[in-house]
Amino acid sequence: MIERSGIQATRRGVLVGGSASVALTTLPLGSAEAAPAVEPPKMKVSLQVNGKQATLELDTRTTLLDALREHMHLTGSKKGCDHGQCGACTVMVNGKRINSCLSLAVMHEGDKVTTIEGLGMPGNLHPMQAAFVKHDGFQCGYCTPGQICSAVAVLDEIEAGVPSHASASLTARPQASNAEMRERMSGNICRCGAYSNILEAMHEVAGTDVAGARA
């Protein structure tokens, strides 16, 4: 027998009381009615993905990455951090690279989207894909689609004369040097550390040496 503050309780009484409490917490709330499910708002969006027109009806909260992977089954673009910090989801929209995990699909009405599948496929590789293979620009390969999409767009940026934080001048044409490429590729993380090989692949495609001079 247990005595606490003048109250007497037996071990059996304690066990019975505990069981009753558990049973009460598991009973459904008979008087409470479940709130009716509310369908999320949806919207149609038309995209041109890898040269093919597609119209999707999506939850307006769907990211471009999820639209590509889950609705169009283009799983080459990877979901890494899902916060725009790793670059594994990089695709090109109207020729410019973006983190597709940070962009809502419905924002891209009429846009032209290029994923890794649109650059090239086995048997018909894009020069950057072939260079990555030649220079071992990957190990586990998870970040590779984003790295390649970003690398292609980086060389286009340099060719177009778009300056970066590594550029010595805002008006002079940037060179495809190691410094320029490292700065521009800094948003694409490779946890295997294949950075030097990626640079070699990019230099081969750009036709430059480490200083950016034409080979």
Side-chain angles (χ1 to χ4, degrees):
M1 182 173 295
I2 305 169
E3 294 186 11
R4 293 286 188 275
S5 302
I7 300 175
Q8 293 186 346
T10 64
R11 184 181 302 277
R12 180 182 298 276
V14 171
L15 292 175
V16 170
S19 300
S21 299
V22 171
L24 284 173
T25 59
T26 57
L27 285 175
L29 298 176
S31 59
E33 295 182 0
V38 178
E39 284 288 323
K42 293 187 176 181
M43 183 181 292
K44 285 187 177 180
V45 58
S46 294
L47 308 166
Q48 188 181 109
V49 181
N50 300 332
K52 296 180 181 178
Q53 199 67 32
T55 299
L56 305 171
E57 186 170 2
L58 301 171
D59 181 332
T60 53
R61 301 166 297 180
T62 305
T63 65
L64 179 59
L65 175 62
D66 286 340
L68 293 170
R69 287 181 56 85
E70 297 178 12
H71 295 267
M72 302 190 69
H73 309 296
L74 294 169
T75 55
S77 305
K78 298 296 188 251
K79 181 176 285 191
C81 65
D82 209 20
H83 286 77
Q85 297 177 349
C86 74
C89 65
T90 303
V91 300
M92 290 186 285
V93 175
N94 299 329
K96 296 181 179 179
R97 56 192 173 133
I98 68 166
N99 291 322
S100 59
C101 73
L102 291 183
S103 190
L104 296 176
V106 295
M107 296 168 59
H108 295 285
E109 174 67 29
D111 283 349
K112 296 179 180 178
V113 181
T114 304
T115 69
I116 189 69
E117 293 93 341
L119 286 179
M121 296 292 284
N124 184 29
L125 294 179
H126 185 279
M128 190 65 77
Q129 291 171 312
F132 266 61
V133 173
K134 177 180 177 182
H135 293 279
D136 291 330
F138 55 91
Q139 288 188 35
C140 79
Y142 194 82
C143 71
T144 306
Q147 297 275 5
I148 291 176
C149 284
S150 199
V152 170
V154 160
L155 295 190
D156 289 343
E157 290 168 12
I158 294 174
E159 185 65 24
V162 178
S164 75
H165 290 294
S167 301
S169 168
L170 294 178
T171 55
R173 178 172 293 279
Q175 303 298 313
S177 64
N178 265 5
E180 281 286 351
M181 292 183 183
R182 286 183 186 276
E183 166 60 25
R184 295 171 191 262
M185 293 291 290
S186 61
N188 290 82
I189 307 301
C190 174
R191 290 175 173 79
C192 300
Y195 297 113
S196 59
N197 300 39
I198 291 171
L199 279 179
E200 290 177 4
M202 293 178 69
H203 277 301
E204 175 168 317
V205 175
T208 56
D209 60 18
V210 296
R214 294 287 177 182

